[in-house]
Amino acid sequence: LEENRVTAILGSSGGGKTTFLKLLNNMITADQGTITYQGKDIESYDPVSLRREIVMLPQDPQIFKGTIKDNFTKTEAITDNENSRNLNYNELLQKVSLTQDLNDAADNLSGGEKQRLALARVMLLEPKVLLLDEPSSSLDKKTEEKIIKRVVDYVRKNNRTLIMVTHSSKIAEKFADKIINIENGKIIK
């Protein structure tokens, strides 16, 4: 997978797409073979440090209790992120098309809004690599395309790498530099 590129992962349910993402930030260990990151075996990295550089957003992310702002401040505190440039929280909300106030309760957000808040939290961390597992599964088609475009624009503008599992071949074809199809745990052409 190339650095500073957008890669889309397609395939049927249960085919191994999420497992592939988990392998890339060492959430699970490969049964065979070696995965390298920046020329080093991924197993040689401290897992916590690695996951600060390679951040995975699951399909059903957890939202912290409290306000939207609390979700940002708790994310910063938990990750002890030294790379954060104290991005403006309101700007992050705009990037993911959330119009709520920072003091609104996060529990009151819809499923799609919670997914977008979680995406904004990932962007707050400014990881080198973003692993997104169906980042738009709770969104309608119009919002999906708008959010994916904003994430891709962010990735390209900031020289990041995006590896995204998507159910939409249309989204993959429109935004990805490379498309990988996975079926039954194998990459197919």
Side-chain angles (χ1 to χ4, degrees):
L1 300 170
E2 294 181 48
E3 191 174 20
N4 301 332
R5 308 281 279 173
V6 175
T7 302
I9 311 294
L10 295 171
S12 58
S13 295
K17 301 178 303 293
T18 298
T19 299
F20 181 67
L21 287 186
K22 288 180 178 180
L23 286 166
L24 296 178
N25 77 345
N26 204 16
M27 288 181 79
I28 58 174
T29 305
D31 294 335
Q32 57 185 331
T34 303
I35 298 170
T36 59
Y37 173 64
Q38 297 184 339
K40 289 175 44 181
D41 185 335
I42 205 165
E43 299 281 330
S44 68
Y45 287 90
D46 170 64
V48 174
S49 297
L50 180 72
R51 290 181 197 128
R52 287 185 180 151
E53 281 189 39
I54 305 173
V55 175
M56 181 172 170
L57 177 64
Q59 188 171 351
D60 297 313
Q62 296 297 310
I63 298 300
F64 299 121
K65 298 267 186 226
T67 66
I68 292 171
K69 183 177 181 180
D70 291 337
N71 270 265
F72 289 126
T73 58
K74 288 177 183 178
T75 299
E76 287 178 313
I78 290 169
T79 58
D80 192 27
N81 185 21
E82 296 173 13
N83 294 330
S84 177
R85 290 178 282 195
N86 295 318
L87 298 175
N88 181 298
Y89 298 155
N90 283 312
E91 287 177 18
L92 287 169
L93 293 179
Q94 287 176 336
K95 286 181 182 180
V96 296
S97 295
L98 284 177
T99 57
Q100 285 79 359
D101 186 83
L102 287 169
N103 294 316
D104 288 350
D107 283 344
N108 293 339
L109 299 174
S110 69
E113 290 168 337
K114 287 178 180 177
Q115 196 171 33
R116 287 184 275 159
L117 174 58
L119 183 56
R121 290 187 329 205
V122 167
M123 293 166 77
L124 173 70
L125 300 175
E126 298 185 311
K128 291 181 180 177
V129 181
L130 290 82
L131 305 175
L132 306 182
D133 192 2
E134 301 271 3
S136 55
S137 62
S138 299
L139 307 176
D140 61 78
K141 298 291 181 204
K142 183 179 175 185
T143 306
E144 174 186 39
E145 188 162 324
K146 184 162 107 177
I147 297 303
I148 297 300
K149 181 183 182 331
R150 288 184 178 183
V151 172
V152 168
D153 288 347
Y154 164 83
V155 164
R156 291 198 167 121
K157 179 181 176 190
N158 294 286
N159 295 319
R160 304 288 190 237
T161 302
L162 171 61
I163 303 165
M164 161 181 65
V165 169
T166 180
H167 61 279
S168 170
S169 56
K170 180 183 173 191
I171 290 290
E173 289 167 8
K174 184 167 186 172
F175 295 107
D177 300 307
K178 180 177 186 174
I179 298 173
I180 296 174
N181 289 286
I182 296 180
E183 294 293 340
N184 298 319
K186 296 188 187 300
I187 294 174
I188 58 171
K189 300 287 182 201

